[in-house]
Amino acid sequence: MPKITIARSYLAAYNTAQAAGWATALYYCVSSFWSADGYATVYENTNAVVRCFQLLSALEILHAAAGLVCGSPLTALMQWSGRSNVLFAILHRIPQLWTNPAAAVLIYVWALSEVVRYPWYATSLLNCCPSWLTWLRYTLFIPLYPVGMLAEMVLMVKALPFLKSQKLNSISLPNVVNFGFDYHMFIQGLLFVYPFLWLFLYQTLLHQRKKKLQSGKKD
């Protein structure tokens, strides 16, 4: 059994908290689907929990940078930035998107993936992870990741008219620092490269899956 260090205890507590948070979000997702309004209320009912734990997950970039975990800080940053951009800068700022089916699909996919990923991290740290959880951790993303990516892109496309008309998240000239930023154009450019960025992350996960499951078979 691995030695229980302060860092290991912290990471176990962090991942347990994340697992509980996303389990709560998943519960609200399922409850919303069974309500009279169905998917239309999913984001409204889950957004407080989802925003809280997504913001908290920025710590994972620091975990990787500090060497507390083996992952790449760049990969962690790309994953966190992609989600946070859609969640904070687009979905939450445009209430008209809350009832879009893509919003419900997105939250449901995120919650479903995280209620597997974080328990896997926590139990692995404590050396008590069952083999079936490892298999789920490295298999469930195969269908969920593409669905989540498509939902993100749908929301970005649907957001474009609002971003243009309301100039959301944009910086207009002139200003004190003489710097301008057109968020509407940024999202248009991001939509063009998004599939390529997604493919890079997806291939990374597939490589990790092959390595981990083959390692498990040898053990």
Side-chain angles (χ1 to χ4, degrees):
M1 185 174 181
K3 183 178 179 180
I4 303 300
T5 63
I6 294 177
R8 186 179 291 273
S9 299
Y10 158 73
L11 288 172
Y14 166 81
N15 285 292
T16 300
Q18 283 280 10
W22 284 101
T24 301
L26 183 59
Y27 169 78
Y28 287 143
C29 279
V30 175
S31 300
S32 298
F33 272 115
W34 284 100
S35 69
D37 294 321
Y39 70 82
T41 60
V42 168
Y43 184 75
E44 182 180 357
N45 294 336
T46 62
N47 80 85
V49 175
V50 169
R51 285 184 295 124
C52 174
F53 285 93
Q54 174 58 24
L55 185 62
L56 184 64
S57 69
L59 289 172
E60 293 168 30
I61 304 169
L62 300 180
H63 295 167
L68 294 179
V69 296
C70 297
S72 162
L74 177 60
T75 301
L77 177 62
M78 288 177 64
Q79 291 175 322
W80 186 86
S81 299
R83 274 195 181 187
S84 296
N85 176 59
V86 174
L87 179 63
F88 296 115
I90 292 179
L91 183 54
H92 195 68
R93 294 212 63 191
I94 305 175
Q96 293 89 338
L97 297 179
W98 294 10
T99 57
N100 190 288
V105 170
L106 182 68
I107 301 302
Y108 194 90
V109 165
W110 284 358
L112 196 56
S113 63
E114 302 301 41
V115 296
V116 171
R117 187 167 73 97
Y118 285 113
W120 181 85
Y121 282 134
T123 54
S124 294
L125 285 162
L126 300 174
N127 201 33
C128 61
C129 181
S131 58
W132 61 265
L133 185 57
T134 297
W135 184 86
L136 273 179
R137 160 71 178 93
Y138 287 97
T139 303
L140 199 60
F141 79 87
I142 294 176
L144 292 183
Y145 209 58
V147 173
M149 185 271 294
L150 288 173
E152 290 176 12
M153 292 190 70
V154 167
L155 290 171
M156 284 191 278
V157 170
K158 294 291 185 181
L160 288 174
F162 300 99
L163 298 179
K164 185 175 183 178
S165 63
Q166 300 176 28
K167 298 189 181 301
L168 294 176
N169 308 319
S170 294
I171 301 174
S172 300
L173 289 170
N175 55 58
V176 177
V177 295
N178 196 33
F179 172 77
F181 176 69
D182 190 329
Y183 186 69
H184 174 260
M185 289 187 63
F186 169 76
I187 292 299
Q188 287 182 309
L190 184 60
L191 280 167
F192 178 77
V193 301
Y194 216 66
F196 302 102
L197 296 174
W198 171 84
L199 185 60
F200 167 76
L201 293 174
Y202 196 58
Q203 289 178 327
T204 299
L205 291 172
L206 288 173
H207 176 73
Q208 291 175 350
R209 179 182 190 271
K210 182 179 180 180
K211 183 177 179 180
K212 188 67 179 181
L213 294 187
Q214 284 182 344
S215 173
K217 287 179 181 179
K218 292 178 182 178
D219 295 340

